[in-house]
Amino acid sequence: MMENNRVSPIEINKEEFRKIGYQLIDSISNFLDTIKARPVTPGESPTQLQKIIGTSSLPENGTSAETLFSKTCGLLFNHSLLNGHPKFLGYITSSAAPVGALADLLAASVNPNVGAQILSPIATEIEKQTVRWLAEFIGVSPDYGGILVSGGNMANFTAFLAARTAKAPKNVKEDGISNAETKMVLYCSKTTHSWIEKAAILFGLGSKAIRWIKTDAANRMDNEVLEQTIKNDLKNGFKPIMVIGTAGDVSTGVVDNLKGIASICKMYDLWFHVDGAYGIPAAVIPEQKMLFQGIEDADSIALDPHKWLYSPLEAGCTLVKDPNHLIDTYSSHPVYYNFSNNDEALNYYEYGLQNSRGFRALKVWLTLQQVGRSGYVKMIGEDIQLSKLFFVLADDHPELEAITQNLSITTLRYMPSDYNHHGEKKEVYLNKLNEDLLNELQRGGEVFLSNAIVMEKYCLRGCIVNFRTSKKDIEDIIEIIVREGKKMHHRLQEKEA
Ligand SMILES: Cc1ncc(COP(=O)(O)O)c(C=O)c1O
């Protein structure tokens, strides 16, 4: 029989919580304080890591939380890739704001379910304010509504479905798209992130519905070709529904001509979506604002606080000019929900794919206040300056070729000075050399870069969304690339000999 005062193995009393909590915070503070001196990654293989974790079966009995945390801190600190390291410039994952870590602890402790206002009274208001601030941050009307989601893919999916509901042939909600008389099609440039293919496949349009528009000399969507393709589709009986403009492409950071896309969308009554998952926070910088002209006309925008707003994973955001499109798409009223009896309430389950939702807005809300707009102008501006420095140093170096620089992304490649072949043979060799070099750098733990293919050249790619990176780091990284590039070149030459 259960006793009057129930004793649960999962509960932790106040004293124990304090003790473990203080120890944990001490360990985390030391970790963050020493992050620069650690390797970016230990580069261990899955087999090595499996040995560390062991193969024991599910524990039958419990272990004290204190023991677990002291073991797990070491496990994570010593066997992780540290994207908070100043020399981590890979993909588009930022150094995480320390305030975000504390915010996640606080959010999980209160644990509001931000699916319905009644379940999360203050958290819902905080999310609403966060969404409003994000709209202000990038310079669109604060009347855009929206929702926080897990990241860029989900932010784009959330908008994609709203566009489909708004622009699909009528009755598509009841009849499904297979019964639509005309086939829906959509438009984006060849540089669009892979979310678009996932969305077209998952949400029933099919990958053939994507019209991949070629890019111009500046690698932006060619808006003349876009318009011509729309006209052809209309002539051939297709149903164009949306155009996706990219505000900072994942490989090289190029921003499409958004103003031009906006006017084409207006002319043909199409939904205008902007994928600003990576780049759109740069619109906060006065000198960069011009680049983003046209976002104020977007029907929807994806942006990712876990990229260039330095939020810990996971935090994405969908902004929609008229949030009623979200309600049209996602709202449902099951009988077991008693959430609709207050006209003032905003129930976030009606704005997106999730019903139960965590409080990811808190970390974004607190960081926006911790640093303010001016703090972000400084950090994002410095990231861009460092990226430009990376390009200039590569350009000046006899053994490096600087390829592109946009926003905070630089691409470059190692070019040995003693390689005498020319033409195609040289290009094939350089691609192999730089690919092998990247793999070596990623394993080595001194620096973490990723790759991009630009004009068929295999490039090393540095994306600086990292408030810890300094000028000295960029200078060091140049030296590391050249040193390791030389070694790799000699290794390949020996193999070829
Ligand atoms: C432009 C763009 N869109 C979407 C995404 C997908 O974001 P996530 O990885 O957070 O789903 C990325 C990721 O790098 C991106 O750069």
Short mmCIF file of all heavy atoms in Angstrom, two decimals, residues 91-92 150-154 156 193 195 246-250 275-279 304 306-307 313, ligand 1:
data_model
loop_
_atom_site.label_atom_id
_atom_site.label_comp_id
_atom_site.label_asym_id
_atom_site.label_seq_id
_atom_site.Cartn_x
_atom_site.Cartn_y
_atom_site.Cartn_z
N TYR A 91 29.13 24.78 -40.81
CA TYR A 91 27.68 24.82 -41.07
C TYR A 91 27.11 26.17 -40.64
O TYR A 91 27.71 27.20 -40.87
CB TYR A 91 26.99 23.61 -40.41
CG TYR A 91 27.59 22.35 -41.00
CD1 TYR A 91 28.57 21.63 -40.33
CD2 TYR A 91 27.22 21.95 -42.28
CE1 TYR A 91 29.16 20.52 -40.93
CE2 TYR A 91 27.81 20.84 -42.88
CZ TYR A 91 28.78 20.13 -42.20
OH TYR A 91 29.36 19.05 -42.80
N ILE A 92 25.91 26.15 -40.01
CA ILE A 92 25.41 27.43 -39.46
C ILE A 92 24.89 27.16 -38.06
O ILE A 92 23.69 27.16 -37.80
CB ILE A 92 24.32 28.07 -40.34
CG1 ILE A 92 24.72 28.07 -41.83
CG2 ILE A 92 24.04 29.49 -39.85
CD1 ILE A 92 23.77 28.79 -42.76
N SER A 150 11.12 24.53 -33.93
CA SER A 150 12.41 23.94 -33.52
C SER A 150 13.60 24.43 -34.33
O SER A 150 14.74 24.28 -33.89
CB SER A 150 12.32 22.42 -33.59
OG SER A 150 11.94 22.03 -34.90
N GLY A 151 13.38 24.95 -35.55
CA GLY A 151 14.53 25.40 -36.34
C GLY A 151 14.09 25.80 -37.73
O GLY A 151 12.89 26.01 -38.00
N GLY A 152 15.06 25.90 -38.62
CA GLY A 152 14.82 26.43 -39.96
C GLY A 152 13.91 25.56 -40.81
O GLY A 152 13.02 26.06 -41.50
N ASN A 153 14.14 24.26 -40.79
CA ASN A 153 13.26 23.39 -41.57
C ASN A 153 11.81 23.57 -41.13
O ASN A 153 10.92 23.76 -41.95
CB ASN A 153 13.66 21.92 -41.38
CG ASN A 153 14.64 21.44 -42.44
OD1 ASN A 153 15.56 22.16 -42.80
ND2 ASN A 153 14.44 20.26 -42.94
N MET A 154 11.60 23.51 -39.84
CA MET A 154 10.22 23.60 -39.33
C MET A 154 9.62 24.99 -39.57
O MET A 154 8.42 25.11 -39.85
CB MET A 154 10.17 23.26 -37.84
CG MET A 154 10.35 21.80 -37.54
SD MET A 154 9.15 20.74 -38.39
CE MET A 154 7.67 21.21 -37.55
N ASN A 156 10.26 26.93 -42.09
CA ASN A 156 9.89 26.97 -43.52
C ASN A 156 8.68 26.08 -43.79
O ASN A 156 7.77 26.46 -44.54
CB ASN A 156 11.08 26.57 -44.39
CG ASN A 156 12.12 27.68 -44.49
OD1 ASN A 156 11.81 28.80 -44.90
ND2 ASN A 156 13.36 27.39 -44.10
N HIS A 193 17.85 25.98 -49.78
CA HIS A 193 18.19 24.90 -48.84
C HIS A 193 17.29 23.67 -49.10
O HIS A 193 16.17 23.81 -49.60
CB HIS A 193 17.97 25.43 -47.42
CG HIS A 193 18.37 24.50 -46.34
ND1 HIS A 193 17.53 23.55 -45.83
CD2 HIS A 193 19.54 24.37 -45.66
CE1 HIS A 193 18.16 22.88 -44.89
NE2 HIS A 193 19.37 23.36 -44.76
N TRP A 195 15.33 22.03 -47.46
CA TRP A 195 14.00 21.90 -46.84
C TRP A 195 12.91 21.90 -47.91
O TRP A 195 11.87 21.27 -47.74
CB TRP A 195 13.74 23.03 -45.83
CG TRP A 195 13.54 24.39 -46.43
CD1 TRP A 195 14.48 25.34 -46.62
CD2 TRP A 195 12.31 24.94 -46.95
NE1 TRP A 195 13.93 26.45 -47.23
CE2 TRP A 195 12.60 26.23 -47.44
CE3 TRP A 195 11.00 24.47 -47.04
CZ2 TRP A 195 11.63 27.06 -48.01
CZ3 TRP A 195 10.04 25.30 -47.62
CH2 TRP A 195 10.35 26.57 -48.09
N THR A 246 15.53 33.63 -51.00
CA THR A 246 16.45 33.26 -49.93
C THR A 246 17.20 34.49 -49.45
O THR A 246 17.75 35.24 -50.27
CB THR A 246 17.43 32.17 -50.41
OG1 THR A 246 16.66 31.00 -50.72
CG2 THR A 246 18.44 31.81 -49.35
N ALA A 247 17.21 34.69 -48.14
CA ALA A 247 17.94 35.83 -47.56
C ALA A 247 19.15 35.28 -46.82
O ALA A 247 19.14 35.14 -45.60
CB ALA A 247 17.03 36.64 -46.65
N GLY A 248 20.15 34.93 -47.59
CA GLY A 248 21.37 34.32 -47.05
C GLY A 248 21.39 32.84 -47.36
O GLY A 248 20.90 32.04 -46.57
N ASP A 249 21.93 32.47 -48.53
CA ASP A 249 21.88 31.05 -48.88
C ASP A 249 22.91 30.26 -48.07
O ASP A 249 23.95 30.78 -47.69
CB ASP A 249 21.99 30.84 -50.40
CG ASP A 249 23.41 30.58 -50.85
OD1 ASP A 249 23.85 29.42 -50.80
OD2 ASP A 249 24.08 31.54 -51.23
N VAL A 250 22.55 29.01 -47.83
CA VAL A 250 23.30 28.19 -46.88
C VAL A 250 24.76 28.01 -47.28
O VAL A 250 25.63 27.94 -46.42
CB VAL A 250 22.58 26.83 -46.69
CG1 VAL A 250 22.45 26.06 -47.99
CG2 VAL A 250 23.24 25.97 -45.64
N ASP A 275 13.05 32.76 -47.03
CA ASP A 275 13.82 31.91 -46.12
C ASP A 275 15.02 32.72 -45.64
O ASP A 275 16.05 32.80 -46.30
CB ASP A 275 14.28 30.63 -46.82
CG ASP A 275 15.13 29.77 -45.88
OD1 ASP A 275 15.22 30.13 -44.68
OD2 ASP A 275 15.69 28.75 -46.33
N GLY A 276 14.84 33.29 -44.45
CA GLY A 276 15.93 34.07 -43.85
C GLY A 276 16.52 33.34 -42.66
O GLY A 276 17.05 33.97 -41.75
N ALA A 277 16.40 32.00 -42.68
CA ALA A 277 16.81 31.21 -41.51
C ALA A 277 18.19 31.61 -41.03
O ALA A 277 18.42 31.81 -39.84
CB ALA A 277 16.76 29.71 -41.85
N TYR A 278 19.12 31.74 -41.98
CA TYR A 278 20.47 32.16 -41.58
C TYR A 278 20.62 33.69 -41.58
O TYR A 278 20.97 34.28 -40.56
CB TYR A 278 21.50 31.51 -42.52
CG TYR A 278 22.79 32.30 -42.66
CD1 TYR A 278 23.56 32.62 -41.53
CD2 TYR A 278 23.25 32.74 -43.91
CE1 TYR A 278 24.74 33.36 -41.66
CE2 TYR A 278 24.42 33.47 -44.04
CZ TYR A 278 25.16 33.78 -42.91
OH TYR A 278 26.31 34.51 -43.03
N GLY A 279 20.34 34.32 -42.72
CA GLY A 279 20.90 35.65 -42.95
C GLY A 279 20.09 36.83 -42.48
O GLY A 279 20.63 37.93 -42.30
N ASP A 304 15.92 32.04 -37.82
CA ASP A 304 16.37 31.07 -36.83
C ASP A 304 17.17 31.69 -35.71
O ASP A 304 18.37 31.92 -35.86
CB ASP A 304 17.30 30.06 -37.53
CG ASP A 304 16.61 28.77 -37.83
OD1 ASP A 304 15.40 28.69 -37.64
OD2 ASP A 304 17.30 27.82 -38.24
N HIS A 306 18.43 30.18 -33.41
CA HIS A 306 19.57 29.31 -33.08
C HIS A 306 20.70 29.39 -34.11
O HIS A 306 21.67 28.66 -34.02
CB HIS A 306 19.16 27.88 -32.76
CG HIS A 306 18.72 27.02 -33.91
ND1 HIS A 306 17.96 25.89 -33.71
CD2 HIS A 306 18.93 27.07 -35.24
CE1 HIS A 306 17.73 25.31 -34.87
NE2 HIS A 306 18.30 26.00 -35.81
N LYS A 307 20.56 30.30 -35.08
CA LYS A 307 21.69 30.56 -35.97
C LYS A 307 22.31 31.91 -35.56
O LYS A 307 23.11 31.94 -34.65
CB LYS A 307 21.23 30.53 -37.44
CG LYS A 307 20.80 29.11 -37.86
CD LYS A 307 20.57 28.99 -39.35
CE LYS A 307 20.45 27.56 -39.80
NZ LYS A 307 19.22 26.86 -39.33
N LEU A 313 20.36 25.65 -29.34
CA LEU A 313 19.37 24.82 -30.06
C LEU A 313 18.28 24.43 -29.08
O LEU A 313 18.58 24.18 -27.92
CB LEU A 313 20.05 23.56 -30.59
CG LEU A 313 21.16 23.80 -31.64
CD1 LEU A 313 22.08 22.59 -31.73
CD2 LEU A 313 20.54 24.10 -33.00
C1 LIG B 1 18.81 29.14 -45.50
C2 LIG B 1 18.51 27.97 -44.60
N1 LIG B 1 17.25 27.50 -44.52
C3 LIG B 1 16.93 26.46 -43.71
C4 LIG B 1 17.89 25.82 -42.95
C5 LIG B 1 17.51 24.66 -42.07
O1 LIG B 1 17.65 25.00 -40.72
P1 LIG B 1 17.63 23.89 -39.57
O2 LIG B 1 18.89 23.11 -39.75
O3 LIG B 1 17.59 24.69 -38.31
O4 LIG B 1 16.41 23.05 -39.76
C6 LIG B 1 19.22 26.27 -43.02
C7 LIG B 1 20.27 25.59 -42.27
O5 LIG B 1 21.44 25.83 -42.39
C8 LIG B 1 19.54 27.38 -43.86
O6 LIG B 1 20.78 27.86 -43.95
#
